[in-house]
Every structure is written in structure tokens, then in C-alpha cells.
Amino acid sequence: MNIGFIGCGVISTAHLEGLEELKKANRDTFELSAVCDLNENRANAFAATAEKRLGKRPTVYTDYKKMIDEENVDAVSILLDHDLHHIVAEDCFAAGIHVQMQKPLAISPFYGRKILADAKKYGRVLTVSEPSVLGAENVAMARAIKDGIIGSVNLLMDYATVTLHRTFFAGTAWRHFKGRAGAGWINDHGVHRTHMFTEVNGPIREVFAYTEIFEKELSDGNTTIRPTGEDTSVTVFRFDNGGLGHWMCSTAAHGEGMGGVWIYGSKGCFRPGKHIALANGQTIPVGDLIMQYAPEIAAHPFAHSYVELWEAITDQKVPISSGERGLEALSIVFAALESALIGQPVKVEDVMNGVRHAYEDTVVKEMIPERKLPLL
């Protein structure tokens, strides 16, 4: 099958690496036949890199509508700013093209529900490229926890701080505006974590959060901005199974960053990317878990994302990183933002179903007019 990339920014390189891993492993995969970016020089440079890695140069476009009209692509990966996801997805679905959406699913839950509805309307496959739950290591972790290796999970903690030196995250100013990104880092980075939380321990029922914008002004030396998206959030939450969680992320750290995930169960602790430490003193390296629980899964998370897309199209196999799960992860983020705005705990289900949307209303208000729809 042929696939096109819509967007050739930083994340596109990771997607290219995923296709390259599958090609080297002689696994069924997509041929990258076309790429599109508004910046023609960037698109051409990416096409040249793709030719070196995959053996064929994709056709270059600067208009995605022209690409999906002229190219015989079966699927696309949408690698664009968050506020464009719902627009481009609908155009692709309507053209009979399957979609892999780079996380987050959408700028907000309302638009996430729209993307899911459009996929159903046009009978096309939708998957989400969410590396926090894909790849051999992450699949092994989830399978091992569900198998009871650390007992019943009762506490999950995640801490992530970044030192930006008052410049832009990933070099992109738009990520600091909620009308373009949906929120601050709690959405851009946080959705990785919320997807992983639910994959290893099931649904999150309720959250309470505080958020703040500590860095009132950011600059890359050429452009100065005043962010509207939160740069710091501290959240507590309760899983359906009774387990508790504490989740903190910030791009306003100075001097030294920190990070890590701890998953505590009745029999031990799981440190993703490191090991399991059991109460009896036994330590199990992640590599051993991969051999036991996920030997058949591609190592590279983005390679696995294309396996998921392929199998969803050809075998109707339900993906781990589905559109529905992407909406759930996004809704947890927005439940935290809603809670911080109204000063009360918020049920994730109420945000996912559109019952609560006070924070989301502020996002939509800030969006570029031609990219937004009226909230229903």
C-alpha cells in the first residue's frame, strides 16, 4: 500500500525511521509515495532523506489537497499542528483514504469526537501514532502488568520537567498557544502519559488539578511571545479500579530537569525503561520482559504504529492505539484543565462526552476562525 506524509516537521523523521525498520525486517509495510509541506525546501530535503533510507524518492507537494487528489495513496500520516487535525482528517476520509493521526488526536475532545465520527461516516480506518503505548518495550510493560507481575496497581506517579531557558518547546512558538495546541505542555507531552496510564491500569475516573503559566514571556531571540497555554500542571487522579495517581509536568523549570514514572503494585514496582523491583528482592530487566511478553512486536514505536495501521486496514484488527483510546487520553488532559479552571474534581467521562467543556470553550475562542466549528 502507498502512504503519504502530510507535514515534514521534526516528528516526521521518527515516522521515517519506523518505516525504515519495517523495510529492513522485510515486514509488510507501506511505500512512502508522497510527502507534503507548506515549506517546499523542507519537503524536498525530507524527500531526499527518505530516498536514502527507503530507496525511493517520494513525490513532493506543498498542497495536501492536491496530493490526495493526484497521488494514489491508500493512507496518510497527518503530522501537523493540532488545530489542523480535524480539517485535514475529514478531507482525507472523504477522499477514501485511511488516516494515522500523530498524537494528540485533536486540539480538544470536541474535535476528537468529530474525527471519530468522520472516520465512521466515510468508512475509513483511523489510528493514532502514540509511542507511549507502542513498540516492544511498551507492549511488554502493559502485558506484564495486566498479567499481575507487580500485583494490583495502587499508585502511579509521573514527573516531567523541562528546562527551556525561556525559549520555545521543540523550537515552535505555536505549542505555547492553546488556540493552536489545545493547551500547554500538559497536552503536547501529557497526552503521552495519560494514554500510557490507561493502557497499563485501565480507565481514570476522576481528576483534580492546579495549573499555571509561570513564564509570562518567551523568546527565541527573534520572536517574543506571551503564552496562553499552561506551562505547569500538578494533577491527582483516581482509576476505576481504585488506584491513585500523581502526575506533574512543567516546561518552566530552571537549573535542572527531572523525570520518571513509577508504577506501584501490591507485589512490587515497575520503572518503565528500566526494570521491575519486586517486594521479594528480585529485579527483572525490561529486556527480559520483552522476550517473555512481546517478542513479536517491532522494537521502534513508530514502526509498530505502521504495523497497527496496516493490520487495521487489511485484517480489521483493533489497534492498541485506536482513535477511541486517543480520545480517552485527550479527555483526561482536558479533565485536568477543566478542574484547574473551576476548582473542583472532574469526571473524565463528562469531558469525553462533552458534558463539561468550560476550559474547551476557551480553547475554541482562541482558535483561528477558519479552523474552528461551533461547539455542539
Side-chain angles (χ1 to χ4, degrees):
M1 286 186 281
N2 293 324
I3 196 165
F5 282 8
I6 302 178
C8 298
V10 175
I11 196 63
S12 62
T13 300
H15 283 262
L16 184 59
E17 290 171 356
L19 291 177
E20 183 181 23
E21 179 177 305
L22 295 178
K23 183 178 179 64
K24 289 180 177 178
N26 293 317
R27 297 189 66 163
D28 287 335
T29 187
F30 296 89
E31 181 172 285
L32 182 59
S33 60
V35 297
C36 178
D37 197 283
L38 289 174
N39 185 324
E40 189 171 8
N41 290 333
R42 182 163 59 187
N44 277 314
F46 182 80
T49 301
E51 183 177 17
K52 291 178 182 177
R53 292 191 171 190
L54 302 177
K56 180 181 177 181
R57 183 182 176 87
T59 306
V60 169
Y61 290 86
T62 56
D63 182 341
Y64 80 89
K65 291 184 178 180
K66 185 176 181 182
M67 186 190 87
I68 63 177
D69 183 53
E70 295 183 358
E71 290 289 322
N72 184 29
V73 293
D74 302 285
V76 295
S77 280
I78 297 177
L79 314 173
L80 299 172
D81 301 2
H82 307 166
D83 60 335
L84 289 167
H85 286 192
H86 61 283
I87 297 171
V88 179
E90 183 175 11
D91 288 339
C92 292
F93 290 141
I97 297 169
H98 305 291
V99 169
Q100 181 195 75
M101 183 66 73
Q102 172 61 27
K103 70 81 203 167
L105 173 63
I107 189 172
S108 74
F110 170 79
Y111 290 96
R113 293 193 298 273
K114 172 178 170 49
I115 292 173
L116 285 169
D118 286 340
K120 183 176 181 180
K121 174 182 176 180
Y122 293 105
R124 298 295 91 186
V125 164
L126 168 67
T127 64
V128 179
S129 182
E130 177 45 78
S132 71
V133 297
L134 299 175
E137 185 175 307
N138 291 318
V139 172
M141 173 179 65
R143 289 176 178 176
I145 291 174
K146 291 173 184 177
D147 194 38
I149 198 165
I150 60 170
S152 57
V153 175
N154 50 41
L155 179 63
L156 192 154
M157 299 187 297
D158 170 58
Y159 304 114
T161 64
V162 173
T163 301
L164 295 180
H165 306 289
R166 293 192 173 91
T167 186
F168 307 149
F169 181 71
T172 49
W174 67 265
R175 295 175 190 273
H176 297 278
F177 294 104
K178 61 184 178 181
R180 297 288 305 281
W185 207 43
I186 188 177
N187 199 29
D188 203 338
H189 163 79
V191 74
H192 286 305
R193 294 297 186 245
T194 56
H195 205 137
M196 185 266 279
F197 297 162
T198 58
E199 179 61 20
V200 300
N201 200 42
I204 291 173
R205 178 181 301 170
E206 186 176 72
V207 303
F208 179 79
Y210 289 108
T211 63
E212 187 56 78
I213 303 176
F214 288 117
E215 305 283 20
K216 308 299 184 185
E217 190 172 277
L218 299 173
S219 176
D220 64 356
N222 297 310
T223 302
T224 299
I225 64 170
R226 294 186 63 81
T228 61
E230 302 72 14
D231 58 33
T232 301
S233 61
V234 179
T235 305
V236 293
F237 51 88
R238 181 183 294 277
F239 288 95
D240 271 0
N241 69 1
L244 300 176
H246 186 219
W247 166 42
M248 180 272 287
C249 57
S250 175
T251 55
H254 290 276
E256 185 175 319
M258 64 167 290
V261 177
W262 290 259
I263 304 170
Y264 286 99
S266 57
K267 297 179 181 179
C269 174
F270 202 129
R271 292 298 315 281
K274 297 185 177 182
H275 57 255
I276 287 177
L278 295 176
N280 64 9
Q282 181 185 6
T283 299
I284 307 173
V286 168
D288 291 353
L289 293 173
I290 292 173
M291 292 177 62
Q292 180 178 352
Y293 286 100
E296 83 287 6
I297 301 296
H300 197 299
F302 290 96
H304 188 194
S305 76
Y306 287 102
V307 173
E308 286 221 307
L309 180 61
W310 180 281
E311 291 180 343
I313 295 170
T314 59
D315 303 327
Q316 291 76 55
K317 184 176 179 180
V318 177
I320 295 171
S321 189
S322 65
E324 289 78 8
R325 295 300 305 280
L327 176 60
E328 180 185 20
L330 183 64
S331 298
I332 297 167
V333 168
F334 271 76
L337 294 162
E338 183 84 5
S339 172
L341 179 65
I342 68 175
Q344 298 175 5
V346 171
K347 294 187 185 315
V348 173
E349 183 181 21
D350 287 346
V351 173
M352 190 155 49
N353 295 336
V355 174
R356 284 189 177 273
H357 50 80
Y359 182 87
E360 189 172 29
D361 290 348
T362 71
V363 173
V364 174
K365 183 179 180 180
E366 193 179 302
M367 288 174 67
I368 296 171
E370 57 267 27
R371 296 182 184 179
K372 64 182 178 181
L373 300 170
L375 283 174
L376 300 179

Short mmCIF file of all heavy atoms in Angstrom, two decimals, residues 273-332:
data_model
loop_
_atom_site.label_atom_id
_atom_site.label_comp_id
_atom_site.label_asym_id
_atom_site.label_seq_id
_atom_site.Cartn_x
_atom_site.Cartn_y
_atom_site.Cartn_z
N GLY A 273 11.22 1.51 31.15
CA GLY A 273 12.53 1.77 30.56
C GLY A 273 13.67 1.26 31.39
O GLY A 273 14.83 1.33 30.96
N LYS A 274 13.38 0.73 32.57
CA LYS A 274 14.45 0.29 33.47
C LYS A 274 14.26 -1.16 33.91
O LYS A 274 14.89 -2.08 33.40
CB LYS A 274 14.54 1.22 34.68
CG LYS A 274 14.93 2.65 34.29
CD LYS A 274 15.13 3.52 35.51
CE LYS A 274 15.58 4.93 35.08
NZ LYS A 274 15.83 5.81 36.24
N HIS A 275 13.37 -1.39 34.87
CA HIS A 275 13.26 -2.72 35.45
C HIS A 275 12.00 -2.83 36.30
O HIS A 275 11.31 -1.84 36.56
CB HIS A 275 14.48 -3.03 36.32
CG HIS A 275 14.68 -2.01 37.40
ND1 HIS A 275 15.67 -1.06 37.35
CD2 HIS A 275 14.01 -1.77 38.57
CE1 HIS A 275 15.60 -0.29 38.42
NE2 HIS A 275 14.60 -0.70 39.17
N ILE A 276 11.76 -4.05 36.78
CA ILE A 276 10.78 -4.31 37.82
C ILE A 276 11.54 -4.63 39.10
O ILE A 276 12.49 -5.42 39.08
CB ILE A 276 9.85 -5.48 37.45
CG1 ILE A 276 8.87 -5.06 36.37
CG2 ILE A 276 9.09 -5.98 38.68
CD1 ILE A 276 7.97 -6.17 35.89
N ALA A 277 11.14 -4.03 40.20
CA ALA A 277 11.71 -4.36 41.51
C ALA A 277 10.60 -4.97 42.36
O ALA A 277 9.66 -4.28 42.75
CB ALA A 277 12.26 -3.10 42.17
N LEU A 278 10.70 -6.27 42.60
CA LEU A 278 9.67 -6.98 43.34
C LEU A 278 9.92 -6.91 44.84
O LEU A 278 11.06 -6.72 45.29
CB LEU A 278 9.60 -8.43 42.88
CG LEU A 278 9.16 -8.65 41.43
CD1 LEU A 278 9.21 -10.12 41.07
CD2 LEU A 278 7.76 -8.09 41.19
N ALA A 279 8.86 -7.09 45.61
CA ALA A 279 8.96 -6.99 47.06
C ALA A 279 9.87 -8.06 47.66
O ALA A 279 10.42 -7.88 48.75
CB ALA A 279 7.56 -7.09 47.68
N ASN A 280 10.04 -9.17 46.95
CA ASN A 280 10.91 -10.25 47.45
C ASN A 280 12.39 -10.01 47.15
O ASN A 280 13.23 -10.87 47.40
CB ASN A 280 10.47 -11.60 46.87
CG ASN A 280 10.61 -11.67 45.35
OD1 ASN A 280 11.18 -10.77 44.73
ND2 ASN A 280 10.06 -12.71 44.75
N GLY A 281 12.71 -8.84 46.59
CA GLY A 281 14.09 -8.50 46.29
C GLY A 281 14.53 -8.81 44.88
O GLY A 281 15.63 -8.41 44.46
N GLN A 282 13.69 -9.48 44.10
CA GLN A 282 14.05 -9.82 42.72
C GLN A 282 13.93 -8.60 41.81
O GLN A 282 13.00 -7.80 41.94
CB GLN A 282 13.13 -10.93 42.21
CG GLN A 282 13.42 -11.38 40.78
CD GLN A 282 12.42 -12.40 40.27
OE1 GLN A 282 11.42 -12.70 40.94
NE2 GLN A 282 12.66 -12.94 39.10
N THR A 283 14.89 -8.45 40.90
CA THR A 283 14.85 -7.39 39.90
C THR A 283 14.80 -8.03 38.52
O THR A 283 15.58 -8.92 38.21
CB THR A 283 16.09 -6.48 40.00
OG1 THR A 283 16.11 -5.86 41.28
CG2 THR A 283 16.05 -5.40 38.93
N ILE A 284 13.86 -7.57 37.68
CA ILE A 284 13.69 -8.11 36.34
C ILE A 284 13.96 -7.00 35.33
O ILE A 284 13.22 -6.01 35.28
CB ILE A 284 12.27 -8.67 36.13
CG1 ILE A 284 11.93 -9.67 37.23
CG2 ILE A 284 12.15 -9.32 34.75
CD1 ILE A 284 10.48 -10.14 37.19
N PRO A 285 15.00 -7.12 34.50
CA PRO A 285 15.28 -6.09 33.48
C PRO A 285 14.18 -6.04 32.42
O PRO A 285 13.53 -7.05 32.14
CB PRO A 285 16.61 -6.53 32.87
CG PRO A 285 17.18 -7.53 33.83
CD PRO A 285 16.01 -8.18 34.50
N VAL A 286 13.99 -4.86 31.84
CA VAL A 286 12.98 -4.70 30.80
C VAL A 286 13.24 -5.63 29.63
O VAL A 286 12.31 -6.18 29.03
CB VAL A 286 12.93 -3.23 30.33
CG1 VAL A 286 12.09 -3.10 29.06
CG2 VAL A 286 12.33 -2.34 31.41
N GLY A 287 14.53 -5.84 29.29
CA GLY A 287 14.85 -6.74 28.17
C GLY A 287 14.31 -8.13 28.36
O GLY A 287 13.84 -8.76 27.39
N ASP A 288 14.32 -8.62 29.58
CA ASP A 288 13.77 -9.96 29.85
C ASP A 288 12.26 -9.97 29.66
O ASP A 288 11.68 -10.96 29.19
CB ASP A 288 14.11 -10.39 31.28
CG ASP A 288 15.60 -10.67 31.47
OD1 ASP A 288 16.34 -10.64 30.46
OD2 ASP A 288 16.01 -10.90 32.62
N LEU A 289 11.62 -8.86 30.03
CA LEU A 289 10.16 -8.77 29.87
C LEU A 289 9.77 -8.77 28.39
O LEU A 289 8.76 -9.35 28.00
CB LEU A 289 9.64 -7.52 30.55
CG LEU A 289 9.75 -7.48 32.07
CD1 LEU A 289 9.35 -6.11 32.59
CD2 LEU A 289 8.89 -8.56 32.71
N ILE A 290 10.57 -8.08 27.57
CA ILE A 290 10.28 -8.06 26.13
C ILE A 290 10.34 -9.47 25.56
O ILE A 290 9.46 -9.88 24.79
CB ILE A 290 11.28 -7.13 25.40
CG1 ILE A 290 11.04 -5.67 25.81
CG2 ILE A 290 11.14 -7.29 23.88
CD1 ILE A 290 12.08 -4.71 25.27
N MET A 291 11.35 -10.23 25.94
CA MET A 291 11.48 -11.59 25.43
C MET A 291 10.30 -12.46 25.85
O MET A 291 9.84 -13.32 25.10
CB MET A 291 12.78 -12.21 25.94
CG MET A 291 14.04 -11.58 25.36
SD MET A 291 15.55 -12.26 26.06
CE MET A 291 15.40 -13.99 25.54
N GLN A 292 9.76 -12.21 27.04
CA GLN A 292 8.66 -13.02 27.55
C GLN A 292 7.30 -12.57 27.04
O GLN A 292 6.44 -13.39 26.71
CB GLN A 292 8.65 -13.00 29.07
CG GLN A 292 7.52 -13.82 29.70
CD GLN A 292 7.56 -13.82 31.22
OE1 GLN A 292 8.52 -13.31 31.82
NE2 GLN A 292 6.55 -14.39 31.84
N TYR A 293 7.11 -11.24 26.96
CA TYR A 293 5.76 -10.74 26.72
C TYR A 293 5.53 -10.12 25.33
O TYR A 293 4.37 -10.01 24.90
CB TYR A 293 5.39 -9.68 27.78
CG TYR A 293 5.10 -10.27 29.13
CD1 TYR A 293 6.06 -10.27 30.14
CD2 TYR A 293 3.86 -10.83 29.41
CE1 TYR A 293 5.80 -10.80 31.39
CE2 TYR A 293 3.57 -11.36 30.66
CZ TYR A 293 4.55 -11.35 31.64
OH TYR A 293 4.28 -11.88 32.88
N ALA A 294 6.59 -9.70 24.65
CA ALA A 294 6.36 -9.02 23.36
C ALA A 294 7.43 -9.34 22.34
O ALA A 294 7.93 -8.44 21.66
CB ALA A 294 6.26 -7.52 23.60
N PRO A 295 7.79 -10.61 22.16
CA PRO A 295 8.87 -10.93 21.21
C PRO A 295 8.50 -10.64 19.76
O PRO A 295 9.38 -10.46 18.92
CB PRO A 295 9.11 -12.42 21.45
CG PRO A 295 7.79 -12.93 21.96
CD PRO A 295 7.25 -11.81 22.80
N GLU A 296 7.20 -10.60 19.46
CA GLU A 296 6.76 -10.43 18.07
C GLU A 296 6.54 -8.96 17.69
O GLU A 296 6.28 -8.65 16.52
CB GLU A 296 5.46 -11.20 17.85
CG GLU A 296 4.16 -10.50 18.26
CD GLU A 296 3.92 -10.40 19.77
OE1 GLU A 296 4.81 -10.78 20.56
OE2 GLU A 296 2.83 -9.96 20.16
N ILE A 297 6.66 -8.06 18.64
CA ILE A 297 6.35 -6.65 18.40
C ILE A 297 7.59 -5.90 17.91
O ILE A 297 8.69 -6.08 18.43
CB ILE A 297 5.82 -5.99 19.69
CG1 ILE A 297 4.56 -6.70 20.19
CG2 ILE A 297 5.54 -4.51 19.46
CD1 ILE A 297 3.38 -6.62 19.25
N ALA A 298 7.41 -5.06 16.91
CA ALA A 298 8.52 -4.22 16.41
C ALA A 298 9.08 -3.38 17.55
O ALA A 298 8.33 -2.85 18.38
CB ALA A 298 8.03 -3.33 15.28
N ALA A 299 10.39 -3.25 17.58
CA ALA A 299 11.03 -2.52 18.67
C ALA A 299 10.71 -1.03 18.62
O ALA A 299 10.40 -0.40 19.65
CB ALA A 299 12.54 -2.73 18.63
N HIS A 300 10.78 -0.44 17.45
CA HIS A 300 10.57 1.01 17.29
C HIS A 300 9.08 1.33 17.39
O HIS A 300 8.27 0.78 16.64
CB HIS A 300 11.10 1.45 15.93
CG HIS A 300 11.32 2.91 15.78
ND1 HIS A 300 10.31 3.83 15.90
CD2 HIS A 300 12.45 3.64 15.53
CE1 HIS A 300 10.78 5.05 15.71
NE2 HIS A 300 12.09 4.95 15.48
N PRO A 301 8.67 2.21 18.32
CA PRO A 301 7.24 2.52 18.46
C PRO A 301 6.58 2.98 17.17
O PRO A 301 5.42 2.63 16.90
CB PRO A 301 7.23 3.62 19.52
CG PRO A 301 8.45 3.38 20.33
CD PRO A 301 9.48 2.91 19.33
N PHE A 302 7.30 3.75 16.35
CA PHE A 302 6.69 4.23 15.11
C PHE A 302 6.62 3.14 14.05
O PHE A 302 5.72 3.15 13.21
CB PHE A 302 7.42 5.47 14.61
CG PHE A 302 7.18 6.68 15.48
CD1 PHE A 302 8.09 7.02 16.47
CD2 PHE A 302 6.04 7.45 15.33
CE1 PHE A 302 7.87 8.11 17.29
CE2 PHE A 302 5.80 8.54 16.14
CZ PHE A 302 6.72 8.87 17.13
N ALA A 303 7.55 2.19 14.09
CA ALA A 303 7.41 1.02 13.22
C ALA A 303 6.16 0.26 13.60
O ALA A 303 5.36 -0.15 12.73
CB ALA A 303 8.65 0.12 13.35
N HIS A 304 5.94 0.08 14.89
CA HIS A 304 4.75 -0.61 15.37
C HIS A 304 3.48 0.13 14.96
O HIS A 304 2.45 -0.48 14.64
CB HIS A 304 4.81 -0.75 16.89
CG HIS A 304 3.74 -1.62 17.47
ND1 HIS A 304 3.45 -1.65 18.81
CD2 HIS A 304 2.87 -2.49 16.89
CE1 HIS A 304 2.46 -2.48 19.03
NE2 HIS A 304 2.08 -3.01 17.89
N SER A 305 3.54 1.47 14.94
CA SER A 305 2.35 2.23 14.56
C SER A 305 1.93 1.91 13.12
O SER A 305 0.72 1.88 12.81
CB SER A 305 2.60 3.74 14.72
OG SER A 305 3.40 4.27 13.67
N TYR A 306 2.90 1.65 12.25
CA TYR A 306 2.55 1.32 10.86
C TYR A 306 2.09 -0.13 10.73
O TYR A 306 1.27 -0.44 9.86
CB TYR A 306 3.72 1.65 9.93
CG TYR A 306 3.85 3.14 9.75
CD1 TYR A 306 4.83 3.86 10.44
CD2 TYR A 306 2.95 3.84 8.96
CE1 TYR A 306 4.91 5.24 10.32
CE2 TYR A 306 3.03 5.21 8.84
CZ TYR A 306 4.01 5.91 9.53
OH TYR A 306 4.07 7.28 9.42
N VAL A 307 2.57 -1.00 11.60
CA VAL A 307 2.03 -2.35 11.65
C VAL A 307 0.56 -2.29 12.06
O VAL A 307 -0.30 -2.97 11.49
CB VAL A 307 2.83 -3.23 12.63
CG1 VAL A 307 2.14 -4.59 12.82
CG2 VAL A 307 4.25 -3.43 12.14
N GLU A 308 0.27 -1.47 13.07
CA GLU A 308 -1.11 -1.32 13.52
C GLU A 308 -2.01 -0.79 12.41
O GLU A 308 -3.12 -1.29 12.20
CB GLU A 308 -1.17 -0.35 14.71
CG GLU A 308 -0.67 -0.93 16.01
CD GLU A 308 -1.53 -0.54 17.18
OE1 GLU A 308 -1.77 0.67 17.38
OE2 GLU A 308 -1.99 -1.45 17.89
N LEU A 309 -1.54 0.22 11.69
CA LEU A 309 -2.33 0.79 10.61
C LEU A 309 -2.56 -0.25 9.52
O LEU A 309 -3.68 -0.41 9.01
CB LEU A 309 -1.62 2.02 10.04
CG LEU A 309 -2.31 2.74 8.88
CD1 LEU A 309 -3.68 3.26 9.30
CD2 LEU A 309 -1.43 3.88 8.36
N TRP A 310 -1.51 -0.97 9.15
CA TRP A 310 -1.60 -2.00 8.12
C TRP A 310 -2.62 -3.06 8.50
O TRP A 310 -3.50 -3.43 7.70
CB TRP A 310 -0.22 -2.62 7.90
CG TRP A 310 -0.16 -3.71 6.87
CD1 TRP A 310 -0.54 -5.01 7.02
CD2 TRP A 310 0.29 -3.59 5.52
NE1 TRP A 310 -0.35 -5.72 5.86
CE2 TRP A 310 0.17 -4.86 4.92
CE3 TRP A 310 0.81 -2.53 4.76
CZ2 TRP A 310 0.54 -5.10 3.59
CZ3 TRP A 310 1.17 -2.78 3.45
CH2 TRP A 310 1.03 -4.04 2.87
N GLU A 311 -2.51 -3.57 9.73
CA GLU A 311 -3.38 -4.66 10.17
C GLU A 311 -4.82 -4.19 10.36
O GLU A 311 -5.76 -4.97 10.16
CB GLU A 311 -2.84 -5.27 11.47
CG GLU A 311 -1.53 -6.03 11.26
CD GLU A 311 -0.98 -6.63 12.54
OE1 GLU A 311 -1.43 -6.21 13.63
OE2 GLU A 311 -0.12 -7.52 12.45
N ALA A 312 -5.01 -2.93 10.73
CA ALA A 312 -6.37 -2.40 10.85
C ALA A 312 -7.04 -2.31 9.49
O ALA A 312 -8.25 -2.54 9.35
CB ALA A 312 -6.33 -1.02 11.51
N ILE A 313 -6.26 -1.98 8.46
CA ILE A 313 -6.81 -1.89 7.10
C ILE A 313 -7.04 -3.26 6.49
O ILE A 313 -8.10 -3.54 5.93
CB ILE A 313 -5.85 -1.06 6.20
CG1 ILE A 313 -5.77 0.39 6.68
CG2 ILE A 313 -6.32 -1.10 4.74
CD1 ILE A 313 -4.69 1.21 6.00
N THR A 314 -6.03 -4.14 6.61
CA THR A 314 -6.10 -5.43 5.90
C THR A 314 -6.87 -6.49 6.65
O THR A 314 -7.53 -7.34 6.04
CB THR A 314 -4.69 -5.96 5.61
OG1 THR A 314 -3.98 -6.13 6.85
CG2 THR A 314 -3.92 -4.99 4.72
N ASP A 315 -6.80 -6.47 8.00
CA ASP A 315 -7.41 -7.54 8.80
C ASP A 315 -8.50 -7.05 9.74
O ASP A 315 -9.04 -7.84 10.52
CB ASP A 315 -6.33 -8.25 9.63
CG ASP A 315 -5.20 -8.81 8.78
OD1 ASP A 315 -5.49 -9.23 7.64
OD2 ASP A 315 -4.05 -8.81 9.25
N GLN A 316 -8.80 -5.75 9.68
CA GLN A 316 -9.77 -5.15 10.60
C GLN A 316 -9.40 -5.41 12.07
O GLN A 316 -10.26 -5.53 12.95
CB GLN A 316 -11.20 -5.65 10.33
CG GLN A 316 -11.80 -5.18 9.03
CD GLN A 316 -11.23 -5.94 7.83
OE1 GLN A 316 -11.28 -7.17 7.81
NE2 GLN A 316 -10.70 -5.24 6.85
N LYS A 317 -8.11 -5.51 12.35
CA LYS A 317 -7.64 -5.75 13.70
C LYS A 317 -7.73 -4.45 14.51
O LYS A 317 -7.31 -3.40 14.04
CB LYS A 317 -6.20 -6.26 13.69
CG LYS A 317 -5.66 -6.61 15.05
CD LYS A 317 -4.25 -7.20 14.96
CE LYS A 317 -3.69 -7.53 16.33
NZ LYS A 317 -2.31 -8.10 16.24
N VAL A 318 -8.27 -4.55 15.71
CA VAL A 318 -8.41 -3.35 16.56
C VAL A 318 -7.03 -2.94 17.06
O VAL A 318 -6.33 -3.74 17.69
CB VAL A 318 -9.34 -3.62 17.75
CG1 VAL A 318 -9.41 -2.39 18.65
CG2 VAL A 318 -10.73 -4.01 17.26
N PRO A 319 -6.60 -1.70 16.82
CA PRO A 319 -5.27 -1.27 17.23
C PRO A 319 -5.20 -0.98 18.72
O PRO A 319 -6.20 -0.62 19.35
CB PRO A 319 -5.04 -0.01 16.41
CG PRO A 319 -6.40 0.53 16.16
CD PRO A 319 -7.31 -0.67 16.03
N ILE A 320 -4.01 -1.12 19.28
CA ILE A 320 -3.79 -0.69 20.66
C ILE A 320 -4.02 0.82 20.74
O ILE A 320 -4.69 1.32 21.64
CB ILE A 320 -2.35 -1.03 21.12
CG1 ILE A 320 -2.15 -2.54 21.17
CG2 ILE A 320 -2.04 -0.40 22.48
CD1 ILE A 320 -0.70 -2.95 21.39
N SER A 321 -3.45 1.54 19.79
CA SER A 321 -3.54 2.99 19.77
C SER A 321 -4.64 3.42 18.80
O SER A 321 -4.39 3.93 17.71
CB SER A 321 -2.19 3.61 19.37
OG SER A 321 -2.21 5.00 19.56
N SER A 322 -5.86 3.20 19.22
CA SER A 322 -7.03 3.50 18.38
C SER A 322 -7.46 4.94 18.56
O SER A 322 -7.03 5.64 19.48
CB SER A 322 -8.19 2.57 18.76
OG SER A 322 -8.61 2.86 20.09
N GLY A 323 -8.35 5.39 17.69
CA GLY A 323 -8.91 6.71 17.83
C GLY A 323 -9.67 6.88 19.13
O GLY A 323 -9.59 7.92 19.79
N GLU A 324 -10.38 5.83 19.53
CA GLU A 324 -11.15 5.88 20.77
C GLU A 324 -10.23 6.05 21.98
O GLU A 324 -10.52 6.82 22.90
CB GLU A 324 -11.99 4.61 20.92
CG GLU A 324 -13.16 4.50 19.96
CD GLU A 324 -12.76 4.07 18.56
OE1 GLU A 324 -11.58 3.71 18.35
OE2 GLU A 324 -13.62 4.09 17.67
N ARG A 325 -9.12 5.31 21.97
CA ARG A 325 -8.18 5.44 23.09
C ARG A 325 -7.48 6.79 23.07
O ARG A 325 -7.15 7.35 24.11
CB ARG A 325 -7.15 4.31 23.03
CG ARG A 325 -7.73 2.91 23.25
CD ARG A 325 -8.41 2.76 24.59
NE ARG A 325 -7.51 3.11 25.68
CZ ARG A 325 -6.57 2.30 26.17
NH1 ARG A 325 -6.42 1.08 25.68
NH2 ARG A 325 -5.79 2.70 27.16
N GLY A 326 -7.26 7.31 21.86
CA GLY A 326 -6.68 8.65 21.75
C GLY A 326 -7.61 9.71 22.32
O GLY A 326 -7.16 10.67 22.96
N LEU A 327 -8.92 9.54 22.09
CA LEU A 327 -9.90 10.48 22.66
C LEU A 327 -9.93 10.38 24.18
O LEU A 327 -10.01 11.41 24.87
CB LEU A 327 -11.29 10.19 22.09
CG LEU A 327 -12.43 11.03 22.65
CD1 LEU A 327 -12.20 12.52 22.39
CD2 LEU A 327 -13.77 10.58 22.07
N GLU A 328 -9.83 9.17 24.69
CA GLU A 328 -9.81 8.99 26.14
C GLU A 328 -8.60 9.70 26.76
O GLU A 328 -8.72 10.42 27.76
CB GLU A 328 -9.76 7.50 26.48
CG GLU A 328 -9.72 7.20 27.96
CD GLU A 328 -9.56 5.73 28.26
OE1 GLU A 328 -9.11 4.98 27.36
OE2 GLU A 328 -9.89 5.31 29.39
N ALA A 329 -7.42 9.52 26.16
CA ALA A 329 -6.22 10.17 26.67
C ALA A 329 -6.34 11.69 26.64
O ALA A 329 -5.96 12.39 27.59
CB ALA A 329 -5.00 9.72 25.86
N LEU A 330 -6.87 12.21 25.54
CA LEU A 330 -7.07 13.65 25.40
C LEU A 330 -8.06 14.18 26.43
O LEU A 330 -7.89 15.27 26.99
CB LEU A 330 -7.56 13.95 23.98
CG LEU A 330 -7.78 15.41 23.59
CD1 LEU A 330 -6.46 16.18 23.61
CD2 LEU A 330 -8.41 15.48 22.19
N SER A 331 -9.08 13.39 26.71
CA SER A 331 -10.12 13.81 27.65
C SER A 331 -9.60 13.87 29.08
O SER A 331 -10.06 14.69 29.88
CB SER A 331 -11.32 12.86 27.56
OG SER A 331 -11.91 12.91 26.27
N ILE A 332 -8.64 13.01 29.43
CA ILE A 332 -8.04 13.08 30.76
C ILE A 332 -7.29 14.40 30.91
O ILE A 332 -7.37 15.07 31.95
CB ILE A 332 -7.11 11.88 31.01
CG1 ILE A 332 -7.89 10.57 30.98
CG2 ILE A 332 -6.39 12.02 32.36
CD1 ILE A 332 -7.03 9.33 30.89
#
